[in-house]
Amino acid sequence: MIFQQNEYDRLKRVIVCPPKYMEIKNVINETQKFYEDENIDVKIAMEQHERFVQTLKQFNIEVIELMTDSKLNEQVFTRDIGFAAGDTLFTCEMGRNIRKPEIDVLQLFLDHENLPYTPLTTRSIEGGDVVVANEKVYIGRSLRTTTKAIEDLQRQLPNKEVVAVEIREDILHLDCCFNIVSDKVGLIYNDAFNERERNILHNEYDLIEVSDDEQFTLGTNVFSIGEGKIISLPENKQVNKQLTEKGFEVVEVPFSEIIKSGGSFRCCTLPIEREKSS
């Protein structure tokens, strides 16, 4: 079954991919530029990813791992290659050709498992720009997600309101600067948006404002697994403190090696089934 009405109902099934061949090869974001010389210690990345997977399983979440390919260095970021909205799983049209074969890996798996999906074909749209919020879907207009692709998605989702949100050019995806953790609470890096976009988001949610330092360590890129539980980096102390003060249970998991490539827990997960809200 495919179903996701929002980003925070109880998670039942999620697709991930181990960082077996993770490497900063062709720099695609500011974080990778910072760590390009240091690069990724794959052994540490694999250990951290496995701990993350085991954490998910402890909460009775079914974790599906895609096959790795030595030519695909960004495969760990499964969020970008697809997203579920309602009972439809969309596979994305990647903004960079180097990542297009990741879609083939995902579609082969879905075909094998007889899981239905709808391929998006307008260049380009990536799942990191898509935040599903019940009757609304927020989409970052970025270097990876175009106006035309957003308009095409609105046609595919006639029963939802697709809200395009312009983000600062140097920020890769919307979930690097905005995320929601309940129907009322979210996280935002204000400097990623102009005044108009900021007001749209602040008017809709009680937003935790993430500092420059914690935006660099992807403070907004937490992952909600339902029932008020949120997986977050231990380093993001202010974000975690504010989430706790708002009544959430923060589950801290080390992920320091993987974030060197510019993505954290949300980037590394493709939820395909969450419980329906009562």
Side-chain angles (χ1 to χ4, degrees), residues 12-43:
K12 298 175 78 172
R13 281 198 299 170
V14 64
I15 295 174
V16 303
C17 189
K20 188 175 179 182
Y21 300 107
M22 193 176 183
E23 183 182 356
I24 299 172
K25 221 171 191 175
N26 300 284
V27 172
I28 59 169
N29 57 49
E30 293 299 310
T31 314
Q32 286 190 357
K33 194 182 292 181
F34 184 85
Y35 288 111
E36 185 179 10
D37 293 337
E38 184 179 331
N39 224 292
I40 309 294
D41 186 319
V42 170
K43 182 174 181 291

Side-chain angles (χ1 to χ4, degrees), residues 6-10 134 180-183 224-227 274:
N6 54 51
E7 304 285 342
Y8 46 78
D9 283 340
R10 194 179 81 77
N134 298 309
I180 58 173
V181 291
S182 77
D183 61 343
S224 299
I225 58 173
E227 298 170 327
R274 291 183 184 267

Side-chain angles (χ1 to χ4, degrees), residues 41 43 58 65 83 86 152 185 200 207 229 249 256-257:
D41 186 319
K43 182 174 181 291
Q58 284 168 15
E65 294 196 12
F83 60 92
D152 283 356
V185 179
I200 288 171
L207 293 174
K229 296 180 178 67
E249 179 184 338
S256 55
E257 203 63 28

Side-chain angles (χ1 to χ4, degrees), residues 124-142:
S124 58
I125 182 168
E126 298 187 357
D129 277 323
V130 181
V131 174
V132 181
N134 298 309
E135 71 280 354
K136 292 184 179 179
V137 179
Y138 294 95
I139 304 198
R141 188 186 288 114
S142 69

Side-chain angles (χ1 to χ4, degrees), residues 3-266:
F3 188 78
Q4 180 177 243
Q5 197 66 1
N6 54 51
E7 304 285 342
Y8 46 78
D9 283 340
R10 194 179 81 77
L11 183 64
K12 298 175 78 172
R13 281 198 299 170
V14 64
I15 295 174
V16 303
C17 189
K20 188 175 179 182
Y21 300 107
M22 193 176 183
E23 183 182 356
I24 299 172
K25 221 171 191 175
N26 300 284
V27 172
I28 59 169
N29 57 49
E30 293 299 310
T31 314
Q32 286 190 357
K33 194 182 292 181
F34 184 85
Y35 288 111
E36 185 179 10
D37 293 337
E38 184 179 331
N39 224 292
I40 309 294
D41 186 319
V42 170
K43 182 174 181 291
I44 296 172
M46 287 288 285
E47 288 168 355
Q48 291 183 340
H49 192 269
E50 180 56 26
R51 181 168 171 181
F52 174 48
V53 167
Q54 292 307 318
T55 302
L56 294 173
K57 289 179 177 177
Q58 284 168 15
F59 290 101
N60 298 315
I61 296 162
E62 181 186 342
V63 182
I64 299 158
E65 294 196 12
L66 292 179
M67 284 179 59
T68 54
D69 183 323
S70 60
K71 298 184 293 297
L72 304 177
N73 307 119
E74 304 288 332
Q75 266 190 298
V76 70
F77 301 129
T78 53
R79 177 71 61 160
D80 297 337
I81 59 177
F83 60 92
D87 56 8
T88 304
L89 175 61
F90 294 98
T91 59
C92 292
E93 174 67 18
M94 306 304 285
R96 287 193 62 173
N97 290 336
I98 198 167
R99 296 199 64 189
K100 278 177 168 282
E102 295 176 46
I103 302 294
D104 299 333
V105 175
L106 174 61
Q107 290 179 346
L108 276 171
F109 165 77
L110 296 172
D111 289 339
H112 183 264
E113 299 296 314
N114 292 317
L115 287 167
Y117 60 91
T118 299
L120 297 171
T121 55
T122 302
R123 190 78 179 263
S124 58
I125 182 168
E126 298 187 357
D129 277 323
V130 181
V131 174
V132 181
N134 298 309
E135 71 280 354
K136 292 184 179 179
V137 179
Y138 294 95
I139 304 198
R141 188 186 288 114
S142 69
L143 292 177
R144 298 304 183 84
T145 297
T146 65
T147 299
K148 190 168 190 321
I150 295 169
E151 290 168 351
D152 283 356
L153 182 64
Q154 177 66 87
R155 284 190 280 275
Q156 299 262 19
L157 295 171
N159 298 321
K160 293 186 184 294
E161 179 190 355
V162 172
V163 181
V165 186
E166 193 88 32
I167 62 175
R168 209 171 74 192
E169 199 171 273
D170 62 310
I171 293 176
L172 190 66
H173 289 129
L174 181 61
D175 62 8
C176 297
C177 52
F178 171 71
N179 196 0
I180 58 173
V181 291
S182 77
D183 61 343
K184 295 182 175 64
V185 179
L187 304 105
I188 192 169
Y189 175 57
N190 277 323
D191 286 355
F193 304 97
N194 62 33
E195 187 179 0
R196 177 186 169 275
E197 321 296 86
R198 269 198 303 275
N199 288 342
I200 288 171
L201 299 173
H202 277 278
N203 287 342
E204 201 71 36
Y205 295 97
D206 172 16
L207 293 174
I208 294 167
E209 297 181 7
V210 177
S211 67
D212 289 344
D213 287 347
E214 293 196 354
Q215 194 273 334
F216 184 76
T217 48
L218 294 157
T220 62
N221 206 261
V222 298
F223 185 49
S224 299
I225 58 173
E227 298 170 327
K229 296 180 178 67
I230 297 169
I231 297 177
S232 182
L233 278 173
E235 289 89 336
N236 291 332
K237 297 187 188 312
Q238 284 305 115
V239 162
N240 296 347
K241 179 173 180 285
Q242 290 181 78
L243 284 168
T244 303
E245 286 171 353
K246 291 185 183 296
F248 295 95
E249 179 184 338
V250 175
V251 181
E252 294 187 348
V253 177
F255 225 49
S256 55
E257 203 63 28
I258 289 167
I259 71 163
K260 288 179 181 177
S261 204
S264 191
F265 301 109
R266 187 181 191 272

